[in-house]
Amino acid sequence: MNGFARFIATALLTAVGASGALAQAKEWKEIRIGTEGAYPPYNNLNAKKELEGFEIDLGNLLCEKMKVKCTWVVQDWDGIIPALQANKYDVIFAGMNATDERRKQVDFTAVYSKTPIWAVGPKNTKSDDISPAALKGKTIGTQSSTIHANYLEKFYKDSDIRLYPTQEEANLDLINGRLDYNVADALALADFLRGQGKDCCRRIAEVKRDDAIHGAGVAGAVRKSDTALKELINKAIAEAIADGSHKKLEDKWFKYD
């Protein structure tokens, strides 16, 4: 177990406490999990319209540890928090970063993934400089209502920021030459560069994280009133990290360390 995993596992087990979590477990017989189904390798609908990805496997694993039934609900990203608040499901596992802005609406479980942020572009891009000055007048794409959109809109005011309903649509516009750059989570873009984008595009540079915008990392989102559910999920995450099953899922789905 690496240092980050030990830190998360120890903090979770200390904060939650086995007795408190187990006392609440009987109240949750079924947990409905909302996801986008369009953000590989975190979550995706395959050719058979079946959900797959790191978060799908992780959610199912956590439900096994919590001894509850899992039901998955696919929801467009733009409405994913409103649908949680409208009781369409109980927790969101959708590559969502735990930011201070989102904490105004929801509560977050422990972080279960934290990765760099990349800017990618055409292979013939000559410079790796992605500073706001260097990208003045350039077209930069990313998914709307994300930390990446917030970051670009704050720091790249002199660039042409183009927002898309899904990351896949932004990727397609990059392939087709309608974008100069694309910004997203490194895992999602590494997946893209091994697949559709392998012939056209390359990693240009890593985007410097801004904690106020990018948050602590990817976590599950729950309604603020569901504190018992959050504690139950936190205990299961801690167990998955401690017993190595979380790492196995990372190794399965994340080809970029």
Side-chain angles (χ1 to χ4, degrees):
M1 189 186 301
N2 62 32
F4 174 72
R6 285 196 298 272
F7 170 76
I8 292 293
T10 302
L12 283 173
L13 290 173
T14 301
V16 175
S19 60
L22 291 174
Q24 297 291 345
K26 294 180 181 179
E27 297 184 22
W28 286 93
K29 301 297 184 183
E30 178 177 350
I31 295 175
R32 300 164 299 162
I33 308 175
T35 194
E36 182 188 10
Y39 200 65
Y42 282 106
N43 58 82
N44 190 48
L45 284 169
N46 62 25
K48 296 180 180 179
K49 301 301 180 182
E50 299 168 334
L51 281 169
E52 64 180 15
F54 169 73
E55 287 175 311
I56 310 306
D57 284 356
L58 178 65
N60 290 333
L61 172 67
L62 298 181
C63 285
E64 288 179 13
K65 291 184 177 296
M66 294 183 286
K67 295 180 172 58
V68 298
K69 179 183 176 182
C70 261
T71 302
W72 289 91
V73 181
V74 177
Q75 168 68 48
D76 288 345
W77 175 259
D78 283 349
I80 206 160
I81 288 180
L84 172 70
Q85 294 169 327
N87 200 38
K88 188 173 179 180
Y89 34 77
D90 306 302
V91 59
I92 297 169
F93 282 178
M96 181 176 287
N97 281 268
T99 66
D100 290 343
E101 187 64 27
R102 288 175 179 149
R103 288 183 196 278
K104 296 176 183 177
Q105 302 179 71
V106 298
D107 206 353
F108 283 100
T109 69
V111 169
Y112 53 74
S113 178
K114 184 175 182 179
T115 58
I117 299 162
W118 283 0
V120 300
K123 284 187 173 180
N124 62 3
T125 302
K126 295 180 179 179
S127 173
D128 292 346
D129 184 356
I130 60 167
S131 65
L135 270 54
K136 181 178 180 180
K138 300 293 186 180
T139 56
I140 312 174
T142 195
Q143 187 174 7
S144 62
S145 303
T146 62
I147 56 173
H148 313 300
N150 295 341
Y151 181 82
L152 292 173
E153 288 172 339
K154 179 177 179 180
F155 293 107
Y156 289 78
K157 297 182 183 297
D158 293 328
S159 298
D160 178 9
I161 308 304
R162 300 184 185 179
L163 305 180
Y164 297 81
T166 67
Q167 186 58 44
E168 183 180 9
E169 291 173 76
N171 294 342
L172 288 173
D173 264 10
L174 182 65
I175 292 173
N176 293 322
R178 289 188 283 268
L179 291 173
D180 297 311
Y181 298 88
N182 202 349
V183 172
D185 181 277
L187 291 175
L189 289 179
D191 216 43
F192 163 68
L193 293 177
R194 285 192 306 272
Q196 286 181 309
K198 64 181 179 181
D199 296 325
C200 73
C201 308
R202 69 175 179 89
R203 173 189 178 276
I204 305 298
E206 184 174 323
V207 175
K208 184 179 179 181
R209 292 186 72 94
D210 181 288
D211 289 344
I213 294 177
H214 294 131
V218 176
V222 299
R223 290 178 288 271
K224 287 181 176 289
S225 58
D226 286 336
T227 55
L229 175 59
K230 183 182 76 169
E231 291 175 354
L232 195 62
I233 294 172
N234 279 352
K235 181 177 183 293
I237 292 173
E239 290 176 355
I241 291 173
D243 67 19
S245 53
H246 176 278
K247 180 65 165 57
K248 288 181 180 179
L249 294 183
E250 286 187 322
D251 292 342
K252 175 183 176 181
W253 290 103
F254 299 163
K255 307 306 179 185
Y256 170 77
D257 187 355

